[in-house]
Amino acid sequence: MIRSKQLPAFEKEFKRLHKRYRSLAKDLATFESVIVTYPTGLGANFTILHRDERVVIVKARLACAALRERSLRIIYAYHDDVVEFVYIELYFKGDKANEDRGRIEDYLKDLV
């Protein structure tokens, strides 16, 4: 069974962005159907930011129907041993240039 959860900061970002991009909930569901089959992604839209024996942190483009030709960025952790996805960060590239490395490091520290 595949499990997923969201960090509190991710939930807050999702709610804020969902007000701007109404298709976001459906877009996230479509994205989840892809990562269930390919947990660390497939193709140029996925970049592995961190990999160790416990977890893989992936940055991906999340196609958003409301944005038409553009996409959001989503950072998630994949835990292969328990088959779990943890959503860490969600942002629009036009609002923010890069992912929050501090948040990723904090997540990794909490795993220890």
Side-chain angles (χ1 to χ4, degrees), residues 2-3 8 20 31 41 44 55 91 94 98 106:
I2 305 296
R3 298 184 325 195
R20 286 170 54 187
F31 178 78
V55 65
Y91 65 95
N98 291 311
D106 289 344

Side-chain angles (χ1 to χ4, degrees), residues 7 11 16 33 38 41-42 55 59 63-64 69-71 73 78-79 83 85-86 88-89 107:
L7 295 182
E11 290 177 8
R16 181 180 54 82
S33 69
Y38 303 101
L42 180 67
V55 65
K59 176 181 179 178
C64 181
E69 299 296 320
R70 300 185 303 186
S71 59
R73 302 301 190 270
Y78 173 63
H79 297 268
V83 190
F85 295 95
V86 179
I88 299 172
E89 185 176 11
Y107 178 76

Side-chain angles (χ1 to χ4, degrees), residues 27-43:
D27 299 331
L28 184 59
T30 302
F31 178 78
E32 286 179 343
S33 69
V34 171
I35 63 172
V36 164
T37 306
Y38 303 101
T40 57
L42 180 67

Side-chain angles (χ1 to χ4, degrees), residues 36-56:
V36 164
T37 306
Y38 303 101
T40 57
L42 180 67
N45 292 330
F46 293 83
T47 303
I48 295 176
L49 301 176
H50 174 84
R51 180 190 302 261
D52 64 25
E53 63 278 348
R54 300 171 298 159
V55 65
V56 179

Side-chain angles (χ1 to χ4, degrees), residues 56-84:
V56 179
I57 306 288
V58 181
K59 176 181 179 178
R61 290 181 184 211
L62 172 63
C64 181
L67 284 169
R68 295 190 180 108
E69 299 296 320
R70 300 185 303 186
S71 59
L72 299 169
R73 302 301 190 270
I74 188 167
I75 311 297
Y76 67 93
Y78 173 63
H79 297 268
D80 189 35
D81 56 341
V82 292
V83 190
E84 178 180 65

